Structures are given as structure tokens and as C-alpha cells.
Amino acid sequence: MSKLRRPEGSARTRRDTAAGLSATVFTVALVLVAALPAKLAAAEQLFTETQAARGERAFLTNCAGCHGYSMISIFARYRNAFDYFGVISTSMPWEDAGALPIQDYIDIVAYMMRENGYASGGAELPPDRAVLEQIQP
Ligand code: HEC
């Protein structure tokens, strides 16, 4: 049983090489897949669908009159969701800065996340700095 028989000789070697190569390619691909979307994955499922719907209503009621839907892409210009949350909760609505309940502002962030392609999950987005800083649009 210990005697290796290789009637097809070099063909076998080529197959082994090809198998080794595709294993390497597979490993490299796995490493890339694991590394690249890690940041995005960390920010997924941090809000609920219900919360985003509440945020949409809050946005339409309190913000859209001045901003319209162009405001949605502006979210992506911020370094992270904490910066965005900071700006809107301290300086908006323009004529009555900071007047809304904190819950409305955080719901608006959830709405911005949904509109910017983040997936919703089973827990609501909290007004928590450490959580919001993970979200880097
Ligand atoms: C009365 C009109 C008005 C309302 C209502 C209003 N905004 Fe604004 N908003 C402005 C104006 C004017 C600016 C520009 C301020 C500046 O350039 O300094 C602005 C700026 C912003 C910015 C910064 C834009 C940027 O380019 O980075 C954000 C974010 C924002 N508003 C979000 C909101 C949200 C969220 C609401 C609702 C809670 C809201 N705004 C309600 C008038 C309004």
C-alpha cells in the first residue's frame, strides 16, 4: 500500500499543482472577503425597520420641508453616524435647533441608514456614541 503508483505521472503533478493553486486563491479570496466588508458588517443590523419608519415620519414632518430628499445622500458625507447625529441634534431644525426629542433624532439616523443601504436587524439603534461611531457611511 505504501508504493505510490503514478501511471499518468506528470499529469497527476499538474493536477496537484492546480489544486494547490486554487486552494491558495480560495484562501486569499477568503481573507479578502473577511477583511474588506468587516467595517460595513459591523455597522449592519443596528436599527429596526420600525425605527427607520418612525425616523422617516420624523424627517418628513420636521426636516423635509427645507431639505427634501437630497438630505439622504448627505449622510454619507459624514465621518460617522455620531458626527451626523451630533449635527442634527444640536443645530436642526434650523429655526428651532435641538427642539426635538432625542428619540426623533436617533430615529432619523436609523432612517438615513436604511436609505443608504444598511440592513435592519432586531434591535433599535441607541443614542450611544460608541455604537454610532462604528457606523461609517
Ligand atoms: C427651516 C429650515 C430647516 C429645517 C426645518 C431643517 N433644516 Fe437642516 N439645514 C437648514 C439650513 C439652512 C442648513 C444649512 C446650514 C449651514 O449651511 O450652516 C441646514 C443644514 C443641515 C445639515 C448639514 C448639511 C450638510 O451639508 O452637511 C443637516 C445634516 C441637516 N440640516 C439636517 C436636518 C434635519 C435632520 C432636520 C430635521 C430634524 C433639519 N435639518 C431641519 C435648514 C433646515
Side-chain angles (χ1 to χ4, degrees), residues 5 17 56 58 94 114 130:
R5 289 177 59 209
T17 308
E56 179 169 16
W94 184 250
R114 189 189 77 192

Side-chain angles (χ1 to χ4, degrees), residues 80-94:
N80 59 54
F82 182 74
D83 284 6
Y84 180 84
F85 174 71
V87 166
I88 67 169
S89 62
T90 58
S91 69
M92 293 292 138
W94 184 250

Side-chain angles (χ1 to χ4, degrees), residues 1-6:
M1 282 297 189
S2 61
K3 226 178 189 182
L4 272 176
R5 289 177 59 209
R6 287 184 177 180

Side-chain angles (χ1 to χ4, degrees), residues 30-71:
L30 269 188
V31 169
L32 286 178
V33 164
L36 286 178
K39 209 163 84 173
L40 187 63
E44 293 285 1
Q45 308 194 338
L46 289 174
F47 66 95
T48 66
E49 207 36 60
T50 310
Q51 185 179 23
R54 275 201 321 259
E56 179 169 16
R57 276 196 302 277
F59 179 80
L60 291 176
T61 308
N62 303 293
C63 322
C66 291
H67 288 295
Y69 284 99
S70 59
M71 188 43 43

